[in-house]
Amino acid sequence: MKKESAEYLVKEHSLSVRQACGLLSLSRSCYYYQMKEKHKQDDIVVKVLSRLAAAHPAYGFRKLFHMVRKEGYEWNHKRVYRIYKLLKMNLQRRARKRLPARVKTPLSIPDQPNQIWSMDFMSDALRCGRRFRTLNILDDYNREVLSIEVSTSIPAYAVVEDLKLVIEQRGRPQQIRVDNGPEFLSHTFISFCNEERIEINYIQPGKPMQNGFIERFNRSYRNEILDAYLFESVREVTELTQEWIMHYNEKRPHQALNGLTPVEYTMKQNKQKLTA
């Protein structure tokens, strides 16, 4: 822009180059500089590099440069890398994770314990603002709470450890219904389920009601515990949660179980099977 202004002053107002550059604080070397022909052809490099990057998004500079050379262009690596950086291709791009196709399965009610368990995460915050998470595990047969793990972080290995404890107490489930969260997609979780011969039933992305039993439970847990108190520590959340689990399983009537608690429902079903 300054160079164009200087040229205007020289041509239209008959100023010398020295005077025009002095008025605009422009060096005379910049005024006399002529863009080299190869710089004018950078748009060709941009087009070629953009096309190759779009066709091969996982390729880095070296592979893209080899692709450029294979197409017959003889630009050197410094020129191509300069354009590569101008296009911000040197910045790491987060790859979009593609999930395998999920098949919609009906939300059937199991006819025996340990047939289908449901798992899901919830999150909330302490009074100080520190975030924490909960891992909720439910038996779909009688809506019994099997475990609620509370911690500031629950990675995949912690999910597996919690599952191991529940399995030691309750036995192994035939199937676990989960969403597509990273902990449930991890190699750690999948390997454990394969070793224990537990089928993983992933719901379709964006369809939480395909895991409707634990979604309904999450609402009760949030209304009666998480939204009902201001917690000072994770320990307070854990202690109150454990007390509430006992109440939920043994005393709290469940509308879907005809007013029975999960424990009462199991006892009634066992009694009917014995007398049948």
Side-chain angles (χ1 to χ4, degrees):
M1 188 68 182
K2 286 185 177 182
K3 181 178 178 180
E4 294 175 355
S5 300
E7 291 175 346
Y8 172 78
L9 292 174
V10 171
K11 292 179 181 179
E12 300 296 331
H13 295 279
S14 301
L15 294 180
S16 66
V17 172
R18 181 180 61 79
Q19 290 173 328
C21 290
L23 288 173
L24 298 173
S25 299
L26 176 70
S27 66
R28 279 181 282 177
S29 61
C30 290
Y31 177 85
Y32 288 114
Y33 176 77
Q34 297 295 324
M35 184 178 292
K36 296 181 180 179
E37 185 65 24
K38 66 177 183 179
H39 287 172
K40 294 180 181 179
Q41 296 179 355
D42 279 352
D43 58 339
I44 303 176
V45 185
V46 170
K47 291 179 181 179
V48 173
L49 204 55
S50 298
R51 173 172 53 81
L52 293 174
H56 308 282
Y59 283 7
F61 170 72
R62 292 185 182 277
K63 286 189 177 181
L64 288 175
F65 180 68
H66 287 307
M67 294 290 289
V68 168
R69 283 299 181 90
K70 282 185 177 182
E71 291 197 358
Y73 299 101
E74 296 184 356
W75 307 311
N76 64 30
H77 69 281
K78 289 186 288 185
R79 182 179 181 187
V80 177
Y81 187 65
R82 176 172 57 82
I83 304 300
Y84 181 81
K85 290 195 298 181
L86 286 174
L87 295 175
K88 298 187 182 300
M89 293 180 180
N90 58 318
L91 300 179
Q92 290 186 350
R93 298 182 295 275
R94 183 182 293 274
R96 185 174 182 178
K97 196 167 187 177
R98 296 186 178 180
L99 297 175
R102 303 302 189 195
V103 179
K104 181 179 179 180
T105 56
L107 190 63
S108 57
I109 301 177
D111 55 11
Q112 59 183 356
N114 292 346
Q115 190 172 351
I116 303 177
W117 290 0
S118 296
M119 298 175 61
D120 197 16
F121 284 98
M122 297 181 69
S123 64
D124 210 309
L126 301 176
R127 187 171 185 174
C128 64
R130 188 180 185 187
R131 304 294 299 180
F132 66 87
R133 304 181 76 194
T134 72
L135 172 63
N136 307 341
I137 306 178
L138 197 73
D139 191 329
D140 290 357
Y141 167 70
N142 61 348
R143 319 301 199 275
E144 182 177 2
V145 185
L146 304 180
S147 173
I148 298 180
E149 177 70 17
V150 183
S151 180
T152 54
S153 176
I154 309 179
Y157 73 85
V159 173
V160 169
E161 290 301 317
D162 193 36
L163 262 180
K164 288 180 180 178
L165 292 175
V166 178
I167 289 174
E168 287 179 4
Q169 300 170 0
R170 301 299 302 266
R172 176 179 57 83
Q174 299 176 23
Q175 184 183 125
I176 297 180
R177 184 184 288 115
V178 294
D179 59 21
N180 296 274
E183 296 83 4
F184 301 136
L185 293 174
S186 69
H187 176 73
T188 302
F189 177 75
I190 294 175
S191 297
F192 171 77
C193 290
N194 290 338
E195 291 172 2
E196 295 292 327
R197 301 184 304 279
I198 300 173
E199 179 185 354
I200 305 175
N201 182 3
Y202 290 103
I203 65 174
Q204 292 177 308
K207 304 289 185 180
M209 287 315 299
Q210 291 182 10
N211 203 2
F213 292 136
I214 200 163
E215 290 291 339
R216 177 62 183 84
F217 165 78
N218 290 348
R219 188 173 71 181
S220 298
Y221 179 51
R222 180 165 297 282
N223 289 340
E224 299 177 25
I225 296 296
L226 298 182
D227 288 351
Y229 301 94
L230 290 175
F231 299 103
E232 299 291 342
S233 65
V234 172
R235 181 178 178 180
E236 284 187 358
V237 185
T238 302
E239 291 176 350
L240 197 57
T241 295
Q242 294 305 314
E243 294 177 2
W244 182 79
I245 289 175
M246 294 182 61
H247 173 78
Y248 184 92
N249 288 338
E250 299 176 9
K251 298 181 180 179
R252 185 182 184 276
H254 202 297
Q255 185 176 358
L257 303 178
N258 296 320
L260 300 176
T261 67
V263 173
E264 291 172 342
Y265 178 81
T266 302
M267 294 175 60
K268 181 180 178 179
Q269 293 299 313
N270 291 338
K271 185 175 180 180
Q272 289 179 353
K273 290 178 182 179
L274 292 174
T275 56

